[in-house]
Amino acid sequence: EVQLAESGGGLVQAGGSLRLSCAASGFAFADYAIGWFRQVPGRERERVSCISPSDMSTYHADFVKGRFTISSDNAKKTVYLQMSSLEPDDTAVYYCSAEILGCTEAPYHQNYWGQGTRVTVSA
């Protein structure tokens, strides 16, 4: 059974930090790009960050560059998103995803999704 199990969301004040984790199982981890999207009500799901475990290449959306860092522990099949200098606009449900095509920005390209973890940043 394919699983992407997210954890690490919560409530934090602006300027604070959180680390999200995504533990993968049930598929060939090294063959997929693993990353994060986020979504707020009424808006489309948007790509935040992504990593290819095979070569550790990464992608970060412009609105998180310099604040968020994605990394992968291939032995644990777990991807992390370290989020710093959080802003109220970062409030969203964050979804882990796996994509065979690589780090694209398209939600419809994702092969697998996690259940999501909520991040709330207070002003």
Side-chain angles (χ1 to χ4, degrees):
E1 179 186 4
V2 172
Q3 275 197 320
L4 292 172
E6 302 113 328
S7 60
L11 173 63
V12 64
Q13 289 188 330
S17 299
L18 283 174
R19 189 177 79 157
L20 305 183
S21 299
C22 174
S25 61
F27 63 97
F29 182 77
D31 291 345
Y32 288 75
I34 311 293
W36 298 89
F37 284 77
R38 70 185 187 185
Q39 189 170 26
V40 298
R43 295 180 61 179
E44 291 188 355
R45 203 166 287 193
E46 61 181 357
R47 165 72 82 191
V48 177
S49 301
C50 184
I51 187 166
S52 293
S54 59
D55 63 4
M56 294 300 186
S57 58
T58 62
Y59 165 85
H60 292 87
D62 286 344
F63 53 82
V64 302
K65 281 182 180 176
R67 301 189 299 123
F68 292 11
T69 302
I70 192 168
S71 62
S72 178
D73 185 332
N74 289 359
K76 295 182 178 180
K77 297 185 180 180
T78 300
V79 169
Y80 303 97
L81 184 66
Q82 179 66 48
M83 306 187 295
S84 303
S85 301
L86 283 161
E87 304 167 353
D89 283 349
D90 294 318
T91 296
V93 177
Y94 284 70
Y95 294 91
C96 180
S97 70
E99 180 180 352
I100 192 71
L101 294 177
C103 289
T104 73
E105 296 184 1
Y108 55 83
H109 280 165
Q110 307 310 301
N111 299 97
Y112 306 120
W113 289 99
Q115 296 287 347
T117 185
R118 183 173 300 277
V119 172
T120 303
V121 184
S122 63

